[in-house]
């Protein structure tokens, strides 16, 4: 559903985390190397979807030679706990990547983690479905009190 007009996202007082992760196919003909890497993320997302208590709030994906998942988490601690959990699918996928690819250059992987706090992140969406921080946390219409980046960044807590 598209929300007409201008909207913003509001973080809870404790903040949250934005996690970007992706892979880059460096040797497209080596399907035997990149396909297992590409298929690991859907398994992790299914697991996270079945376990909302783990703190994953949702995300958006873009596919191509470099594939990106932009995800939102209740906290960086939740993200780190998931990555380290023996019962979760991440550790085995990471071990498999290192065994199969390691440093041979066929497939690159990367991630970036950002801790976000109220007053330190500004988001605005115009004529968009609920997206990004707005979809993960609180999605609200922009008012006269939130109609500029300066005003949104001055907000230090939930509505």
């Amino acid at each position: 559903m598209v929300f007409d007009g201008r909207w913003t996202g509001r973080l809870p007082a404790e903040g949250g985390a934005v996690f970007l992760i992706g892979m880059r196919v460096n040797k497209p003909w080596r399907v035997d190397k990149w396909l297992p890497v590409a298929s690991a993320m859907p398994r992790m997302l299914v697991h996270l979807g079945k376990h909302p208590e783990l703190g994953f709030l949702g995300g958006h994906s873009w596919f191509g030679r470099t594939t990106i998942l932009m995800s939102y988490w209740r906290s960086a601690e939740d993200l780190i706990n998931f990555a380290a959990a023996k019962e979760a699918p991440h550790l085995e996928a990471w071990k498999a990547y290192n065994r199969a690819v390691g440093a041979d250059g066929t497939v690159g992987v990367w991630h970036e983690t950002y801790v976000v706090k109220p007053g330190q992140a500004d988001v605005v969406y115009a004529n968009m479905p609920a997206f990004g921080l707005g979809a993960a946390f609180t999605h609200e219409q922009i008012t006269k009190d939130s109609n500029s980046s300066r005003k949104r960044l001055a907000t230090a807590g939930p509505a």
Side-chain angles (χ1 to χ4, degrees):
M1 174 180 154
V2 172
F3 291 88
D4 294 342
R6 294 176 65 224
W7 293 74
T8 188
R10 186 173 305 263
L11 292 160
E14 61 276 9
V18 178
F19 181 63
L20 302 165
I21 188 166
M23 64 168 263
R24 183 177 190 276
V25 176
N26 297 322
K27 297 179 181 175
W29 60 92
R30 292 303 309 266
V31 177
D32 62 313
K33 296 280 189 162
W34 62 259
L35 187 58
V37 177
S39 66
M41 186 55 71
R43 286 193 303 271
M44 287 184 230
L45 293 173
V46 167
H47 179 83
L48 289 164
K50 291 179 181 177
H51 298 281
E53 72 278 6
L54 297 177
F56 175 74
L57 302 174
H60 308 283
S61 297
W62 293 270
F63 300 95
R65 180 177 182 182
T66 299
T67 296
I68 300 170
L69 169 67
M70 180 171 56
S71 63
Y72 302 90
W73 291 76
R74 189 175 48 209
S75 70
E77 188 67 23
D78 286 336
L79 170 63
I80 292 164
N81 289 341
F82 167 73
K86 290 183 173 126
E87 67 279 0
H90 174 265
L91 276 181
E92 186 50 44
W94 180 237
K95 289 175 187 175
Y97 172 83
N98 283 304
R99 281 190 307 268
V101 177
D104 76 8
T106 57
V107 184
V109 294
W110 60 275
H111 77 258
E112 299 177 3
T113 305
Y114 301 94
V115 175
V116 291
K117 301 280 185 192
Q120 296 177 350
D122 176 34
V123 299
V124 64
Y125 312 98
N127 304 318
M128 291 278 297
F131 188 83
L133 286 170
F137 296 103
T138 300
H139 185 243
E140 58 187 43
Q141 194 155 27
I142 289 179
T143 67
K144 66 180 174 98
D145 295 326
S146 62
N147 68 357
S148 72
S149 291
R150 184 170 281 114
K151 289 178 181 179
R152 289 187 297 275
L153 286 168
T155 303

